[in-house]
């Protein structure tokens, strides 16, 4: 394909939050990639935290971790799942980070003599961060999603920066505005007024959207399209309907049907002939929508009331379900509610148990009970990060008999600190961005279940933790039947050679795996993660076995 200058697409939101700007951006990226345009997506978040790493999941959902160890907004997870292209620190910038760089420059004396102001210094830094991703001309298209809603006080500098970029780069820039078109049941009508107002707010700030995507629960008639077009100064074919989808992976196809990609390419003056190649995407959707079996998997965690807190795990399970043509029902179980008395009943309808990542003491005993139930009853089990640490604690207590074994995160004075703080972490004072973050290599043990699942022995996975397996206890664990099946060979802070335990398994169990890393971050539609695929397979086998027990084969007469 002929090389063009990088084109910039900005996606803003109006009327309400949570309309799915991330999914629309990711879907557009998928369509452009499928047409051969190299595309990446960036999110600008207007809050003052430097990154979402220190935010409670209740506030902002899951914290997504990139290969280079950036703690980012969960939308970056959607970007990777839809595009199969890794993102990095440069793909997520917050107001906090923008101000941090400007203030650092001011202290260095870079602005010596001038008053540092929102305009031009903050807006210049926003523009620099946008252009940074386009440097090197690696991408044909850069989609930048602006968090928040037009009209918010904190969005103002971003909208102003986009206005300036539109002016400076003219036909290389375009703006998509995502709004909500509510349905008033009493009037039996869809209402466009909120959209008109939100576009008016943008116009007051000097920005004219080129395309308006209308989130709606009902079809948008021709009349409504013409109305939005006329009052918002866009062509009728640039008013795009975005109805509620059965699942988020349908959205690229819906957007293609509506012509979003075609209109975008037209506006950016890029060739738009032909159709995007979505063969693989369609085949994924076909499998997803036509399951041949079903299983229920328990997800045990502290924040299960809020599904967004475990977004990547839920998506990885769904993708793994599609591979196996198996419908996955996820039973979300708050760890605090699990007790030895109710465990059997709670998990009686589950064919696998997944214990989620997490921090702090709350709900730990429930997690340990869930793990004991999975281990003793031979139910497939996957523990991720804290989930892995918990399966080590459970084994220490109930198999090795060290009743007060614990992680020093939960009990600093425990008799058996089977999980303890990493040496490098002891001197850490600031909590933001200081965990062991991002991709690290892991060598899998020959003959281990994990080596079989991955089909290779050298893997790389992403991390986010401060505590780890205490190697002093490894011989005891291995003797009693829990094996370290994945190791990271590296150097500690003091330069000593160290083999960190990255994964454990119990060989005699049908499927019992704990991983210190987060496989869920790397699962995409194109490459569903082998560990989740294997967990679903194990759950399907479990289901088949339970069915066999429930309906014994008839005796021949
Ligand atoms: N709290 C644990 C640690 O810091 C686990 C972290 C996690 O589950 N992401 O090591």
């Amino acid at each position: 394909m002929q090389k063009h200058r990088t084109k910039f697409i900005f996606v803003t939101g109006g009327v309400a939050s949570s309309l799915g700007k991330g999914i629309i951006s990711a879907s557009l990226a998928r369509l452009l990639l499928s047409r051969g345009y190299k595309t990446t997506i960036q999110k600008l978040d207007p809050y003052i935290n430097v990154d979402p790493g220190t935010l409670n999941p209740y506030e902002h959902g899951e914290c997504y971790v990139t290969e280079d160890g950036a703690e980012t907004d969960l939308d970056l997870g959607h970007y990777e799942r839809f595009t199969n292209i890794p993102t990095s620190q440069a793909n997520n910038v917050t107001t906090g980070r923008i101000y941090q760089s400007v203030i650092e420059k001011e202290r260095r004396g870079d602005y010596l003599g001038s008053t540092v102001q929102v305009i031009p210094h903050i807006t210049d830094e926003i523009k620099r961060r946008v252009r940074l991703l386009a440097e090197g001309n690696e991408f044909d298209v850069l989609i930048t999603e602006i968090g928040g809603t037009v009209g918010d006080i904190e969005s103002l500098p971003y909208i102003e920066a986009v206005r300036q970029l539109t002016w400076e780069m003219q036909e290389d820039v375009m703006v998509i505005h995502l709004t909500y078109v509510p349905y008033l049941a009493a009037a039996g009508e869809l209402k466009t007024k909120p959209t008109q107002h939100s576009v008016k707010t943008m116009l007051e700030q000097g920005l004219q959207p080129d395309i308006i995507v209308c989130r709606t629960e009902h079809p948008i008639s021709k009349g409504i399209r013409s109305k939005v077009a006329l009052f918002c100064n866009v062509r009728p074919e640039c008013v795009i309907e975005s109805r509620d989808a059965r699942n988020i992976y349908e959205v690229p196809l819906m957007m293609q049907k509506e012509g979003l990609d075609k209109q975008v390419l037209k506006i950016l003056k890029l060739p738009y002939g032909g159709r995007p190649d979505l063969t693989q995407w369609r085949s994924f959707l076909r499998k997803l929508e036509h399951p041949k079996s079903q299983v229920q998997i328990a997800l045990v965690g502290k924040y299960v009331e809020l599904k967004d807190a475990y977004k990547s795990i839920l998506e990885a399970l769904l993708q793994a379900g599609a591979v196996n043509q198996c419908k996955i029902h996820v039973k979300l179980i708050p760890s605090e509610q699990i007790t030895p008395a109710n465990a059997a009943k709670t998990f009686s309808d589950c064919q696998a148990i997944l214990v989620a990542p997490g921090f702090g003491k709350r709900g730990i005993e429930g997690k340990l009970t869930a793990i004991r139930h999975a281990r003793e009853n031979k139910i497939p089990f996957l523990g991720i990060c804290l989930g892995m640490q918990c399966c080590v604690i459970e084994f220490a207590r109930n198999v090795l008999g060290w009743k007060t074994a614990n992680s020093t995160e939960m009990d600093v004075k425990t008799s058996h600190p089977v999980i303890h703080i990493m040496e490098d972490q002891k001197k850490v004072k600031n909590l933001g961005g200081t965990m062991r973050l991002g991709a690290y290599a892991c060598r899998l043990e020959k003959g281990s279940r994990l080596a079989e699942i991955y089909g290779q022995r050298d893997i790389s996975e992403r991390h986010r933790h401060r505590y780890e397996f205490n190697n002093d206890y490894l011989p005891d664990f291995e003797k009693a039947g829990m094996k370290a099946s994945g190791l990271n060979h590296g150097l500690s802070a003091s330069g000593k050679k160290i083999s960190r335990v990255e994964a454990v398994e119990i060989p005699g169990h049908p499927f019992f795996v704990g991983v210190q890393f987060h496989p869920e971050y790397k699962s995409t539609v194109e490459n569903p993660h082998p560990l989740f695929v294997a967990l679903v397979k194990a759950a399907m086998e479990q289901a088949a076995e339970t069915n066999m027990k429930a309906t014994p084969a008839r005796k021949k007469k």
Side-chain angles (χ1 to χ4, degrees):
M1 183 176 287
Q2 194 197 330
K3 189 78 200 144
H4 300 271
R5 284 188 307 266
T6 305
K7 302 278 186 177
F8 296 82
I9 302 173
F10 292 94
V11 181
T12 60
V15 182
S17 59
S18 307
L19 293 182
K21 271 190 307 247
I23 301 294
I24 293 292
S25 305
S27 300
L28 176 59
R30 177 69 270 156
L31 293 176
L32 296 177
L33 280 160
S34 304
R35 284 176 177 273
Y37 291 104
K38 223 164 161 239
T39 307
T40 191
I41 323 177
Q42 175 188 48
K43 171 133 197 222
L44 303 181
D45 269 315
Y47 51 71
I48 298 178
N49 303 65
V50 171
D51 60 46
T54 52
L55 282 174
N56 185 321
Y58 284 128
E59 285 277 322
H60 209 68
E62 161 190 282
C63 172
Y64 184 78
V65 179
T66 58
E67 284 290 297
D68 65 347
E71 294 177 286
T72 70
D73 186 83
L74 59 80
D75 272 334
L76 272 81
H78 290 311
Y79 304 165
E80 290 202 15
R81 287 187 279 276
F82 276 61
T83 64
N84 201 41
I85 297 174
T87 52
S88 71
Q89 180 68 75
N91 294 72
N92 190 198
V93 181
T94 68
T95 295
R97 198 171 286 280
I98 300 274
Y99 271 80
Q100 194 184 41
S101 351
V102 170
I103 292 169
E104 273 168 16
K105 281 186 200 159
E106 188 275 333
R107 291 290 81 188
R108 263 204 319 264
D110 290 7
Y111 307 115
L112 219 52
S114 40
T115 312
V116 181
Q117 292 179 299
V118 173
I119 298 170
H121 302 99
I122 295 297
T123 43
D124 278 354
E125 181 62 20
I126 296 174
K127 286 180 351 189
R128 190 182 72 80
R129 297 279 181 161
V130 171
R131 286 198 168 111
L132 203 65
L133 253 187
E135 259 173 28
N137 228 5
E138 190 191 335
F139 296 106
D140 301 311
V141 182
L142 165 61
I143 301 174
T144 301
E145 178 191 343
I146 315 273
T149 310
V150 167
D152 295 347
I153 292 179
E154 50 260 58
S155 308
L156 276 173
Y158 292 97
I159 302 293
E160 169 58 15
V162 176
R163 187 197 65 76
Q164 292 180 16
L165 286 169
T166 316
W167 179 245
E168 287 163 10
M169 296 194 287
Q170 302 279 329
E171 59 189 25
D172 289 342
V173 181
M174 66 168 292
V175 178
I176 298 177
H177 188 55
L178 176 65
T179 78
Y180 181 51
V181 178
Y183 179 75
L184 275 197
E189 266 184 79
L190 283 168
K191 291 293 181 190
T192 65
K193 194 76 85 187
T195 299
Q196 296 176 39
H197 278 293
S198 129
V199 171
K200 216 161 257 163
T201 308
M202 278 178 87
L203 286 170
E204 275 167 24
Q205 296 171 11
L207 213 53
Q208 166 68 54
D210 299 285
I211 289 181
I212 296 182
V213 179
C214 302
R215 281 284 280 126
T216 168
E217 280 133 50
H218 295 268
I220 299 218
S221 66
K222 224 172 152 198
I224 296 274
R225 271 179 216 262
S226 318
K227 205 165 161 185
V228 173
L230 182 65
F231 290 124
C232 302
N233 321 318
V234 296
R235 282 182 287 120
E237 57 276 26
C238 288
V239 178
I240 304 285
E241 170 189 299
S242 171
R243 292 264 297 279
D244 288 351
R246 274 192 303 251
N247 69 69
I248 54 171
Y249 301 105
E250 275 195 345
V251 179
L253 300 184
M254 288 164 59
M255 288 302 106
Q256 198 230 328
K257 227 168 155 190
E258 280 286 303
L260 176 66
D261 52 336
K262 194 168 156 186
Q263 296 307 329
V264 162
L265 293 172
K266 257 189 183 176
I267 292 168
L268 292 174
K269 300 201 168 52
L270 290 171
Y272 60 86
R275 288 162 73 87
D277 179 8
L278 292 163
T279 324
Q280 209 221 352
W281 197 268
R282 282 181 203 278
S283 114
F284 165 80
L285 268 181
R286 235 185 337 266
K287 284 195 203 148
L288 184 68
E289 280 164 6
H290 301 285
K292 293 192 175 133
S293 59
Q294 53 179 332
V295 294
Q296 175 144 276
I297 298 183
L299 174 58
V300 176
K302 196 159 91 165
Y303 308 104
V304 286
E305 307 88 318
L306 183 78
K307 278 194 188 159
D308 272 2
Y310 302 109
K311 195 90 220 160
S312 294
I313 292 179
L314 294 175
E315 297 305 323
L317 284 172
L318 181 136
Q319 292 159 1
V323 173
N324 289 295
Q325 271 196 284
C326 174
K327 169 116 188 106
I328 312 292
H329 303 278
V330 179
K331 186 170 180 180
L332 297 156
I333 307 175
S335 40
E336 277 170 301
Q337 288 176 12
I338 305 167
T339 64
N342 67 22
K345 188 155 181 274
T346 307
F347 296 113
S348 61
D349 53 357
C350 298
Q351 289 79 48
I353 299 176
L354 196 161
V355 175
F359 296 84
K361 213 169 169 170
R362 181 163 73 86
I364 283 295
E365 294 304 320
K367 287 185 177 171
L368 298 177
T369 306
I371 294 167
R372 179 173 198 169
H373 184 79
R375 184 177 55 75
E376 292 182 344
N377 294 285
K378 304 225 176 294
I379 298 170
F381 164 78
L382 175 62
I384 299 179
C385 206
L386 182 62
M388 172 267 195
Q389 298 175 354
C390 284
C391 84
V392 169
I393 300 169
E394 191 279 323
F395 195 87
R397 288 190 188 176
N398 302 320
V399 178
L400 290 161
W402 306 332
K403 289 295 168 210
T404 50
N406 216 329
S407 159
T408 53
E409 180 181 4
M410 318 306 159
D411 175 9
V412 250
K413 295 205 187 92
T414 168
S415 60
H416 292 79
V418 288
I419 303 290
H420 65 169
I421 191 146
M422 280 180 269
E423 197 195 322
D424 324 28
Q425 288 288 326
K426 288 183 185 158
K427 56 178 190 314
V428 166
K429 290 213 172 61
N430 287 346
L431 292 186
T434 52
M435 280 188 247
R436 179 174 180 243
L437 291 166
Y440 285 90
C442 174
R443 177 131 249 252
L444 300 174
E445 281 304 293
K446 212 171 174 177
S448 64
R449 180 176 286 272
L450 277 176
E452 177 197 319
I453 289 172
Y454 278 85
Q456 64 193 77
R457 289 190 58 204
D458 285 305
I459 60 163
S460 164
E461 291 283 3
R462 301 183 199 172
H463 296 70
R464 183 172 187 247
H465 64 124
R466 292 186 205 282
Y467 296 82
E468 65 174 349
F469 188 95
N470 183 345
N471 281 346
D472 293 347
Y473 295 102
L474 188 54
D476 293 304
F477 276 85
E478 300 225 289
K479 226 180 284 157
M482 179 177 270
K483 306 278 179 211
S485 59
L487 296 173
N488 164 267
H489 301 287
L491 294 178
S492 73
S494 55
K496 269 192 291 184
K497 269 197 181 161
I498 173 166
S499 297
R500 293 183 201 284
V501 174
E502 300 278 27
V504 294
E505 35 187 277
I506 297 178
H509 191 283
F511 189 105
F512 192 100
V513 176
V515 287
Q516 183 58 77
F517 48 78
H518 292 260
E520 70 275 21
Y521 293 144
K522 282 179 75 167
S523 192
T524 68
V525 168
E526 212 166 294
N527 277 320
H529 197 288
L531 189 44
F532 286 91
V533 174
L535 178 72
V536 169
K537 234 180 229 143
M540 288 162 74
E541 278 158 24
Q542 177 79 9
E545 207 167 288
T546 331
N547 279 346
M548 248 157 60
K549 273 188 206 147
T551 45
R554 274 208 206 130
K555 277 191 195 135
K556 276 187 194 154
K557 274 184 196 157

